[in-house]
Amino acid sequence: MYEEKAAQAAALFLLKAGGSMPHLKLMKLLYIADRESYRRHSSPITGDEMVSMPHGPVLSRTLDLMKGATPSAPDGWMRYVCRVNQYAVTLADSVSWETFLGKLSRADRWVIDDVWERYGRMSQWELRDLTHEFPEWEDPRGSSKPIERYTLFRALSMTHVQAEARVEQNEEREAIDAAFERMYERAGKAKA
């Protein structure tokens, strides 16, 4: 589910951009959208792991999909986004404003709309520099370093108690989602 939702969020940004953009810009917009969703709703849009990298914070698995380092699921990344080259991505041919992006909630779309309104005109390099200012980012010295949720919530000006409570809420939600996913997989296998 994570991959399809990340792909749909990417597709919505690409639709707003006219169909293509540098992959660094798309990654930064996706990161900022997840960060903003954590701030507003205490949970992310994509559910991807956040990491600090030399060009700032990124969504780890989404970056791997974007670079082609991880194979795409059938209803995942490649259904919505195509890699033009190592620096740019574009919408898949079948994606348009009429494409059903049903994994995105109304709240997700509002966050994406707001992030596009605030940051969509910025270049990839301006966005990179902006994300270097985020308190949760630490220079990984050429590698990558996980950004813990607690660290993110503290960077979003939450108290220690608020940050711990939100981490616990996210862990509980993920456990419930995983249980439902396993249940649906078993039900699908039983029908086959």
Side-chain angles (χ1 to χ4, degrees):
M1 183 171 112
Y2 135 79
E3 182 181 335
E4 189 175 4
K5 194 167 184 186
Q8 289 183 9
L12 188 51
F13 277 124
L14 286 165
L15 283 165
K16 292 174 177 296
S20 65
M21 74 173 72
H23 82 271
L24 179 61
K25 180 173 181 171
L26 178 58
M27 176 50 63
K28 294 305 172 189
L29 292 170
L30 288 167
Y31 179 85
I32 293 168
D34 260 12
R35 184 181 197 267
E36 183 62 16
S37 185
Y38 271 120
R39 189 184 69 72
R40 291 182 190 185
H41 309 294
S42 298
S43 62
I45 293 172
T46 70
D48 199 350
E49 297 170 29
M50 297 175 152
V51 297
S52 290
M53 292 191 71
H55 286 292
V58 301
L59 304 176
S60 180
R61 292 177 290 176
T62 304
L63 180 62
D64 288 342
L65 288 163
M66 198 177 291
K67 293 185 332 185
T70 300
S72 175
D75 286 334
W77 190 259
M78 295 302 291
R79 179 176 176 198
Y80 298 92
V81 182
C82 294
R83 185 173 181 220
V84 175
N85 57 41
Q86 66 181 1
Y87 302 110
V89 292
T90 188
L91 283 168
D93 290 338
S94 62
V95 179
S96 70
W97 281 107
E98 288 75 38
T99 302
F100 181 64
L101 301 175
K103 294 292 182 188
L104 299 175
S105 69
R106 186 173 299 163
D108 296 334
R109 288 171 182 261
W110 286 337
V111 169
I112 290 169
D113 288 345
D114 288 348
V115 167
W116 180 256
E117 185 65 31
R118 287 179 17 211
Y119 304 106
R121 290 179 184 82
M122 294 175 76
S123 75
Q124 62 185 336
W125 307 115
E126 290 170 322
L127 287 168
R128 179 202 57 190
D129 293 347
L130 172 72
T131 61
H132 278 189
E133 303 289 322
F134 291 172
E136 69 271 19
W137 179 75
E138 293 180 43
D139 187 350
R141 308 273 184 246
S143 185
S144 68
K145 180 178 181 182
I147 298 171
E148 302 298 329
R149 281 194 189 120
Y150 176 83
T151 302
L152 176 68
F153 287 130
R154 293 291 286 162
L156 294 171
S157 301
M158 294 182 191
T159 67
H160 168 73
V161 172
Q162 291 169 324
E164 283 192 335
R166 283 171 177 76
V167 167
E168 188 175 314
Q169 288 170 351
N170 275 273
E171 289 171 352
E172 289 172 359
R173 187 179 309 114
E174 286 170 352
I176 291 168
D177 289 347
F180 274 110
E181 205 168 304
R182 284 191 302 274
M183 183 179 70
Y184 287 126
E185 285 175 10
R186 279 189 233 123
K189 288 178 184 176
K191 287 182 181 178

